[in-house]
Amino acid sequence: QNSVAGESAGAMSVGYHLVAYNGRDDKLFRGAIMESGNSVQPVAQYTADHYEATYQALVDSVNCTSAADVLACLRGLPFDTINAALNTTNATVWASVVDGDFIARFASDQLEEGNYVHVPIISGANSDEGTTVGPYGINTTEQFLEYVEGMCGLLVV
């Protein structure tokens, strides 16, 4: 039995595995390492219906709308087609959803209640995580607020 490890988005994935199915332990791993990410996300978590318009925009943009099996249509698309659609529609923000199954509830609630896989855990953070994709030239509170307010709803205040 191996440990599971990840960094950044990979660490978030490891964190989800720790709380998956309300913390059910299927003995898939004996330890977890999370670097710059964990079970509790820094952005709001929603149910799938929150992303319905985003999903529909993607489906429409790749002509899968009238397919008998829309998901099969999406899965059958060439990489270039789906990549172009993701880069030219509002379908660019994807996140995990509380589906009542894999992510049964908010991870913060599960952790507080002890509903997670109880294995040895290493959790850390990298210095300057995210600075390569962060904005430059923000030197005042006003500039920071202008940037945050323009983030297309990525942060919920």
Side-chain angles (χ1 to χ4, degrees):
Q1 192 180 35
N2 294 316
S3 293
V4 61
E7 191 272 335
S8 195
M12 292 177 1
S13 178
V14 170
Y16 290 139
H17 281 76
L18 288 169
V19 296
Y21 305 110
N22 205 38
R24 185 180 77 208
D25 188 356
D26 292 336
K27 308 293 185 211
L28 299 176
F29 47 88
R30 64 179 180 87
I33 302 171
M34 299 171 286
E35 189 69 22
S36 291
N38 56 53
S39 304
V40 180
Q41 303 314 314
V43 295
Q45 278 195 294
Y46 300 100
T47 56
D49 60 336
H50 177 80
Y51 295 101
E52 184 59 36
T54 303
Y55 172 75
Q56 196 58 52
L58 176 65
V59 169
D60 294 345
S61 71
V62 294
N63 300 317
C64 285
T65 308
S66 61
D69 186 339
V70 173
L71 190 54
C73 180
L74 289 171
R75 287 178 173 156
L77 292 172
F79 169 80
D80 291 338
T81 302
I82 197 90
N83 190 51
L86 289 171
N87 289 316
T88 58
T89 67
N90 74 342
T92 58
V93 178
W94 300 97
S96 61
V97 297
V98 177
D99 65 354
D101 187 30
F102 184 75
I103 300 177
R105 302 177 293 121
F106 292 126
S108 55
D109 293 335
Q110 287 185 227
L111 293 171
E112 181 179 25
E113 297 166 7
N115 295 323
Y116 58 92
V117 178
H118 291 262
V119 295
I121 295 171
I122 297 174
S123 182
N126 295 332
S127 295
D128 300 323
E129 172 77 15
T131 57
T132 59
V133 295
Y136 293 96
I138 295 180
N139 299 309
T140 67
T141 300
E142 291 77 21
Q143 290 172 329
F144 174 73
L145 290 173
E146 183 178 325
Y147 172 75
V148 169
E149 290 169 356
M151 289 184 67
C152 302
L154 290 179
L155 297 177
V156 177
V157 180

